[in-house]
Amino acid sequence: MASASQDSSICIWDVASHRRVATLKEGIDPKFECLRVAWMNRRDDPGSKSEYGGEKYMLASAGADGIVRLWSGSGEEKLTWQSAGIMDHFLLEKNGVESGGGTTSEEEERPQIYALQFVQSKAAPNMNILLTSANNCIYLWNIVDDGSPQSSPSDAIKRRMFLPYLSVSFSHLDDGRQVNKFGGNRNPGNELYIFDASYSESNDLVGAALSDGTCRVLSLANDGDNGSFFQEQCVLSLPPGYFPGTRGGHLTALCWDKSGTRLATCIASGRVVLWLLQVVDRDGTHVLHPSCISVLEGGHDIGRPLFGAKYCGGENQELLMTWGVDGKVCVWDSFSVGEVLSPLCTLISHSDYPIYALDIVTDNGENSKAQAGEMQKVHIAVGGGSEGGFLGLPAYLYDV
């Protein structure tokens, strides 16, 4: 398990022994917190091991300094972790070229990276793609060997480079609809920011949660000769005024179910909106048609931001977990319809422990079916907290 920390470090944990086995902070400026970590699929096939030596794991981290780093874990008895690559989004956006690092003045504001995900795209099945975001842009990078010679034949670390694959820049809607303005004094210019982005492997769709309260859905494609491209499919947004007063807000997070037809968006006011996306035929053209299915509220403290949602609960993912700054993890019926004023249950409630991150793993794998009559044990990892004590801030593991 990997955890991102406010002190800028990344910790690697052995879940079975509950012990920290490594702390990654090579080259990291401690002034900038680590915001995201993401694992690449584990390398278990002999071909991959031959190509990357003894490398077993690849981890990406993203910080408030706008820098994404790659970390390689290798070894048999004990894993050794080393930095394997870097991409500075501040220099990228400033200079218009990819950059492997650099220096800037203290006064310059760096973009914060809120989206980080390794992608296995049908449009590019042979690429290791990493999705990142900075300000109002989404980037997709092809992670490749940089070609530099290894120090020895037994050297397990290969340096990587970020090759641009696709980039998307979002702007305010200009179709006559009312433009939502959130952020108050913290965003006087009504700048547009991405607070989360997520890719659905089942249909090559990317969703982006934006500061204007909309979720933009894009499709990825590759036509061979002309390379990769994207197409904006739809905008998910409730009508202006649906949430009067302070009941609305910018989007803080989103998540797909594994079918790619259901999407949950989290609102800064403590609410969740469930969407259904269906492909329909309009005059012989297939288009993506979104429908708002449900609004979930009442489980979390109203007016306090949510930080994430995740579909779970068996083969059909019948449940939805949500978490936020109120320290609660709520469980909802993911097939809810209409306005829902209370969750099925509240799994966790710690008012002094805001929850920033949560992940779920099942014993039999998220996509596998349990034997008839057999209960699947679910493991939940929770990270958060505001003020650490002598031993620091804890991360919690739960079995359900």
Side-chain angles (χ1 to χ4, degrees):
M1 182 180 79
S3 61
S5 303
Q6 188 177 13
D7 64 1
S8 78
S9 65
I10 301 101
C11 293
I12 308 297
W13 306 84
D14 182 337
V15 175
S17 64
H18 300 170
R19 293 181 179 275
R20 184 181 61 185
V21 295
T23 301
L24 314 180
K25 50 186 178 182
E26 177 185 346
I28 298 178
D29 188 334
K31 297 194 301 293
F32 299 99
E33 63 186 306
C34 182
L35 299 172
R36 296 286 190 272
V37 289
W39 294 98
M40 180 185 283
N41 288 339
R42 183 174 177 177
R43 306 189 183 283
D44 286 326
D45 63 282
S48 293
K49 288 187 178 181
S50 173
E51 180 183 357
Y52 293 99
E55 182 178 279
K56 289 186 175 181
Y57 298 96
M58 174 64 70
L59 178 73
S61 66
D65 55 0
I67 296 178
V68 173
R69 302 175 188 274
L70 299 177
W71 307 89
S72 176
S74 62
E76 295 298 332
E77 296 297 328
K78 182 179 179 180
L79 285 175
T80 300
W81 291 89
Q82 296 184 40
S83 174
I86 184 173
M87 168 53 63
D88 190 331
H89 288 68
F90 174 78
L91 296 181
L92 167 72
E93 297 193 342
K94 180 179 180 181
N95 302 328
V97 295
E98 61 270 21
S99 174
T103 58
T104 58
S105 68
E106 291 289 337
E107 292 75 20
E108 293 179 288
E109 184 176 353
R110 286 181 159 270
Q112 298 189 347
I113 310 296
Y114 287 118
L116 186 69
Q117 181 186 4
F118 280 103
V119 168
Q120 292 294 319
S121 172
K122 296 176 182 178
N126 298 320
M127 293 184 182
N128 291 319
I129 296 177
L130 180 65
L131 181 152
T132 66
S133 73
N135 293 325
N136 65 327
C137 295
I138 286 179
Y139 301 95
L140 278 82
W141 307 96
N142 183 20
I143 307 300
V144 300
D145 181 358
D146 72 355
S148 59
Q150 294 171 282
S151 58
S152 69
S154 60
D155 189 357
I157 301 300
K158 282 194 174 183
R159 298 287 301 178
R160 307 303 207 283
M161 60 190 300
F162 293 68
L163 295 181
Y165 176 69
L166 192 67
S167 64
V168 183
S169 177
F170 295 100
S171 59
H172 286 293
L173 299 175
D174 57 0
D175 58 359
R177 280 182 281 178
Q178 175 181 330
V179 177
N180 294 317
K181 295 183 178 181
F182 303 117
N185 296 331
R186 293 180 298 175
N187 188 14
N190 195 31
E191 300 292 332
L192 198 61
Y193 295 99
I194 297 172
F195 284 108
D196 194 14
S198 181
Y199 165 81
S200 171
E201 290 189 0
S202 63
N203 51 18
D204 264 348
L205 293 178
V206 174
L210 298 176
S211 59
D212 65 352
T214 66
C215 176
R216 316 287 178 90
V217 178
L218 313 172
S219 61
L220 305 182
N222 191 319
D223 64 1
D225 295 337
N226 297 320
S228 59
F229 65 94
F230 73 91
Q231 181 176 0
E232 186 161 335
Q233 295 288 340
C234 60
V235 177
L236 309 183
S237 177
L238 293 176
Y242 184 89
F243 291 122
T246 59
R247 295 184 64 208
H250 64 271
L251 297 189
T252 56
L254 79 157
C255 72
W256 296 93
D257 79 336
K258 64 183 181 183
S259 74
T261 62
R262 295 189 295 161
L263 184 68
T265 56
C266 300
I267 303 176
S269 61
R271 294 166 174 83
V272 182
V273 181
L274 304 184
W275 303 87
L276 178 66
L277 284 76
Q278 297 175 301
V279 176
V280 299
D281 188 300
R282 289 183 180 172
D283 299 326
T285 302
H286 289 165
V287 298
L288 197 64
H289 178 73
S291 301
C292 176
I293 301 301
S294 183
V295 177
L296 313 179
E297 57 181 319
H300 291 277
D301 293 355
I302 299 301
R304 308 192 69 188
L306 298 182
F307 290 131
K310 191 173 182 68
Y311 285 94
C312 58
E315 181 68 17
N316 296 323
Q317 296 187 310
E318 298 175 357
L319 303 176
L320 182 78
M321 284 192 187
T322 58
W323 58 93
V325 72
D326 59 2
K328 295 179 182 179
V329 175
C330 295
V331 181
W332 309 81
D333 179 354
S334 67
F335 289 97
S336 295
V337 176
E339 293 193 10
V340 179
L341 301 181
S342 62
L344 297 175
C345 67
T346 300
L347 280 184
I348 303 169
S349 181
H350 297 299
S351 60
D352 59 346
Y353 187 85
I355 297 175
Y356 300 120
L358 181 149
D359 202 2
I360 305 171
V361 176
T362 60
D363 276 347
N364 296 324
E366 182 65 23
N367 297 319
S368 63
K369 295 181 179 179
Q371 298 295 323
E374 179 185 348
M375 293 292 292
Q376 282 186 307
K377 181 180 287 187
V378 177
H379 309 282
I380 303 174
V382 174
S386 53
E387 297 294 335
F390 176 73
L391 296 178
L393 288 171
Y396 293 95
L397 300 177
Y398 298 90
D399 289 342
V400 180

